[in-house]
Each structure stands twice: as C-alpha cells, then as structure tokens.
Amino acid sequence: MDNKMRKVGKRLASLWSASRQLRIGLILFVLVLLVAIFADVLSPFDPYYLGEDLLVAPGSENHPLGTNQMGCDILSMLLHGSRASLTIGIVAAAISGLIGTLLGAFAGYYGGMLDKVVSEVINIFLMIPSFFLILIIVSIFGSNMFNVMLVIGLTSWPSNARMMRVQAMSLKERTFIKGAVVMGESRLRILFKYIIPNGLFPVIANTTMGVAKAILTEASLSFLGLGDPNVVSWGQMVFDGKAYLQTGWWISTLPGLSIMLIVVVFYMIGDGLNYALNPRMKKL
C-alpha cells in the first residue's frame, strides 16, 4: 500500500513539474473552485435579492461591481454563478468522457462489426453541427440545468471515443496484452485492467478541455434564452444584460470576462496535461 502511494505521489510530482502551464492552470482552478464552494460566505447579498438600487455602476460602496436592472448585486451573482458554470462544465465533460472511453475502448479492442457500427455513429455525430442538435433537443425537452448537462454530455463524446479507439487498437497489439491473452485472462478483464488504464491519458486531457467547451455551450444557450432561468449562471447573466449594454455595460461584460477566464484556465490545464502525459510532446 505504501509503495503504491509513493508511486502515485511521484507520478503527481512529475506531472506538477512537467509543465508550467499546467501548474498555473491548476492554481487558478483551485482559486475558482474555492470561490464556488464559499460563495455563500463571500457574497455580500443574496444573488436573488431584488434591491431598490437599480443599475448602479461599479464602484459603489454597497455594490462594488454594481447592480443589474432588477437591483441584484452583480458580485453576489458572479460568485454564485461560478457554481452553476463549473457544475455544468464538469458534469457534462464527465458524461462525455465516460461514454467516449467505453465505446471507443470496446470498438477498438473487439473490432469487427462493433467497431464498424461505433465508427459510423461517430461519423454521423461529427457531420451534424452539435450546437444545433443541442438547440433542438433543449427546445423539445426543456432548458433546466439537468437537461443542459445531459444533452451537452451526450453530444460531445465522439472526440473522446475516437481517441480511445485509436489507443485500444494500438495497445491490443502490444506484447503485454498478447501475454495476458496467452495467460488465459478474459477479454473483458484485459480491456478494463490494461487497455483503458494505459490508453486513458489523451482522453483525460481532451475531457479537461471539454469542460471549457461545455461552459461555453451553456453560455451560448443562455444567451439565446435557452438556459435555466431558475439558476444564476454566468451565461444567464450575459443574457439578462444584453438589453442594457449602453446603460449597464457591466451586467454582461463582467460575467463574459468570467467565462473567458474559466475557459482559458481549463484550456491551460488540458494543454498542460497533454504535454505532461504525451512523451512525443516532451520531445518536441
């Protein structure tokens, strides 16, 4: 047990020291995560509280980042909006990563008809503009937070499946896999014990970048009026403030900058992981 913990510790230490971009991204992510966790403590007001001060500009003593057209405090809404945006991004990316990993691993390792079917399904999804597909599904089934997370996850898995399929096709030809087959281990056991753990690294990096894409997708849906109106999110704040860009620019600008920041953070983490986990990137 101690040896395993030491190996894990060494692995994490090597990842931490491999990429400065990864280190900066992780530090910023931890800060954003702490803000989301302690939003109730940090917020000066309830984000749903409708005050009497309407369209107060940033710099006010009571409202450092101003208020919106309903009198809600922008700072409080930004702090609580980080929860919704992070939740949607992480859950949607996790669904995408799980589905893509399983389908890609089974298709690449088992091959045959299963591989052909999965490959055709991937091609169909890649040919259809995913955002318009999401628009249609959300319009039909509703725009609550659960539906948005589920739809984004169910439409963004093909890139992960394609990566995992290639990894599985390469790994099944390796000597240690053939040795496991000779030893009599079942194909299912080989798949979950050797194929997936050894081929998961590029999928992890891609899934991390998928968090940023999911946050952008949710913001786009909210901007078009298809977000969850009962949840404070950065995308919903941008939508609420687009009619007041001339008189209350801060309502949309500040959450827009927050979205940009979190997207950059996850792209830094994903790109850093890709560099740290990919030997070819290190050589380059």
Side-chain angles (χ1 to χ4, degrees):
M1 186 68 178
D2 292 338
N3 291 332
K4 288 183 178 180
M5 293 297 293
R6 288 176 184 175
K7 288 181 180 179
V8 171
K10 289 181 180 179
R11 183 63 172 170
L12 292 175
S14 65
L15 286 176
W16 178 260
S17 60
S19 172
R20 184 177 63 179
Q21 187 172 323
L22 176 61
R23 292 195 296 273
I24 296 173
L26 286 174
I27 291 171
L28 292 175
F29 170 68
V30 170
L31 291 176
V32 175
L33 187 62
L34 289 174
V35 167
I37 293 173
F38 296 104
D40 292 330
V41 178
L42 299 173
S43 299
F45 295 92
D46 187 319
Y48 299 98
Y49 173 69
L50 305 179
E52 297 179 356
D53 301 323
L54 308 181
L55 291 177
V56 175
S60 169
E61 182 178 353
N62 294 328
H63 307 283
L65 297 183
T67 62
N68 65 6
Q69 71 279 10
M70 303 296 290
C72 299
D73 182 67
I74 296 296
L75 176 58
S76 302
M77 294 181 73
L78 284 175
L79 294 174
H80 283 82
S82 62
R83 289 181 176 177
S85 296
L86 282 178
T87 301
I88 289 172
I90 292 172
V91 172
I95 294 172
S96 170
L98 180 62
I99 295 174
T101 298
L102 292 176
L103 287 179
F106 274 97
Y109 182 59
Y110 282 88
M113 184 57 67
L114 177 61
D115 185 31
K116 291 181 180 179
V117 172
V118 172
S119 298
E120 289 301 321
V121 173
I122 290 174
N123 291 334
I124 291 171
F125 269 89
L126 292 176
M127 285 189 295
I128 300 174
S130 59
F131 185 71
F132 291 104
L133 181 61
I134 293 171
L135 278 178
I136 295 170
I137 296 174
V138 169
S139 300
I140 295 173
F141 294 100
S143 57
N144 62 68
M145 190 172 172
F146 176 78
N147 285 347
V148 170
M149 291 188 296
L150 190 62
V151 168
I152 295 174
L154 292 177
T155 54
S156 59
W157 59 267
S159 60
N160 288 321
R162 190 166 53 176
M163 284 185 177
M164 193 65 212
R165 174 178 173 271
V166 172
Q167 291 291 317
M169 292 175 67
S170 174
L171 287 168
K172 72 178 182 180
E173 302 298 330
R174 302 284 180 88
T175 306
F176 71 97
I177 297 295
K178 294 183 177 180
V181 174
V182 173
M183 292 290 291
E185 293 198 43
S186 66
R187 300 182 74 180
L188 198 62
R189 179 177 174 82
I190 291 172
L191 182 69
F192 283 97
K193 187 177 180 181
Y194 302 111
I195 299 291
I196 292 179
N198 286 285
L200 198 59
F201 300 121
V203 178
I204 292 175
N206 189 61
T207 300
T208 304
M209 293 184 179
V211 176
K213 294 177 182 177
I215 291 173
L216 278 176
T217 303
E218 185 275 332
S220 302
L221 289 172
S222 296
F223 184 76
L224 295 174
L226 293 174
D228 191 341
N230 300 315
V231 176
V232 176
S233 71
W234 291 337
Q236 190 68 36
M237 291 177 68
V238 174
F239 170 73
D240 291 338
K242 69 179 182 179
Y244 299 88
L245 288 177
Q246 293 184 346
T247 56
W249 56 266
W250 55 90
I251 302 174
S252 291
T253 303
L254 296 178
L257 291 174
S258 301
I259 293 171
M260 184 182 71
L261 171 64
I262 198 65
V263 167
V264 170
V265 166
F266 278 106
Y267 267 103
M268 289 177 69
I269 295 173
D271 200 40
L273 282 174
N274 190 33
Y275 175 82
L277 297 173
N278 192 341
R280 294 180 183 177
M281 291 293 290
K282 290 183 180 180
K283 290 180 182 179
L284 291 174

